[in-house]
Amino acid sequence: MESSKVIHAIYTDDDILMAAVKDVRLAKHHIEEVYTPFPVHGLDKAMGLAPTRLAITAFIYGCIGLIVATVMMNFIMIEDWPQDIGGKPSFSYLENMPAFVPIMFELTVFFAAHLMVITFYLRSKIWPFKEAENPDPRTTDDHFLMEIAVANNNESELTELLKNTGAVEINLVDKAH
C-alpha cells in the first residue's frame, strides 16, 4: 500500500473555508478534497471542479421511462387485453393517449429518480457496508476540513499559508491509497 503526505486544515466557518480554498488555489497548491457537514454553495467552482453531467443522465433516464411507459401501455391496453372502458374502445394507442398521460408522467419521474440515485451511488463509489472515508468525525457536525497534497517538502510554506487563511487546526497526515 502506497502512502503520501497530506495536510488537513480544519475550519469552523464556511465563509472562511471558501476564502481559504480560493487562496490555496491561487498559491497553486492541489486540494485533494474538502469535507463539510453540509453542502457549501459555490465550493465546487472555488475548487475548480468540472461541472456535473448528472442532469444529462437524468434526462436520458426520464426518456427511457417515457419509452417504457408507452410500450408497456400499448402492449397491455391495446394489443394484449383490449377493454371497452366507458364506451371507449381501444383500437389504437393514439386515440387513447390522453388517458395514458398520467402513467407516462409517473413512469418518467420514477425512472429518472430511481436511476439517478443508483447512478449517484455508483459514481460516488458508495455501496452497502462500505467503510466511511471521513478523516475527521467533526466534519459531520460543525467543522470543515480541507485536504491538501504535500509536494516537494512544501509543508512549512503550506502550513504558514493555511494559518494565514484562518485554519483553527493543521495536521500533517500519512494518507494510505
Side-chain angles (χ1 to χ4, degrees):
M1 226 200 251
E2 194 180 316
S3 70
S4 60
K5 291 188 185 262
V6 293
I7 289 183
H8 287 170
I10 297 177
Y11 298 86
T12 55
D13 185 73
D14 57 330
D15 293 327
I16 296 172
L17 171 77
M18 282 290 288
V21 166
K22 291 174 185 173
D23 291 344
V24 169
R25 291 233 19 241
L26 196 61
K28 305 279 190 239
H29 295 288
H30 177 66
I31 299 172
E32 294 280 331
E33 188 65 78
V34 176
Y35 298 90
T36 64
F38 53 83
V40 178
H41 179 70
L43 184 60
D44 52 341
K45 287 182 182 165
M47 289 178 63
L49 298 177
T52 181
R53 294 184 303 257
L54 286 177
I56 297 167
T57 59
F59 176 75
I60 292 169
Y61 295 153
C63 289
I64 291 169
L66 181 64
I67 290 167
V68 167
T70 303
V71 170
M72 178 189 75
M73 288 181 300
N74 184 58
F75 177 75
I76 293 172
M77 297 299 291
I78 307 301
E79 294 176 19
D80 186 46
W81 197 266
Q83 299 176 36
D84 185 352
I85 300 171
K88 298 176 185 172
S90 301
F91 295 126
S92 75
Y93 182 82
L94 289 176
E95 289 176 348
N96 294 291
M97 195 172 84
F100 298 151
V101 168
I103 299 166
M104 292 163 61
F105 173 77
E106 289 299 328
L107 280 180
T108 299
V109 172
F110 179 85
F111 270 67
H114 286 79
L115 292 176
M116 279 300 299
V117 168
I118 292 168
T119 300
F120 174 75
Y121 284 149
L122 292 174
R123 182 74 180 97
S124 301
K125 297 178 182 156
I126 299 174
W127 46 82
F129 312 112
K130 183 179 186 298
E131 191 174 317
E133 294 178 9
N134 191 355
D136 191 321
R138 293 177 292 177
T139 60
T140 62
D141 186 22
D142 61 350
H143 285 65
F144 304 84
L145 186 144
M146 182 178 5
E147 185 176 273
I148 305 119
V150 175
N152 304 327
N153 294 327
N154 64 350
E155 297 167 33
S156 57
E157 170 202 341
L158 197 49
T159 303
E160 192 59 36
L161 171 67
L162 294 169
K163 281 181 187 170
N164 292 337
T165 62
V168 295
E169 187 178 321
I170 300 169
N171 302 314
L172 181 64
V173 179
D174 279 330
K175 184 178 180 182
H177 290 288

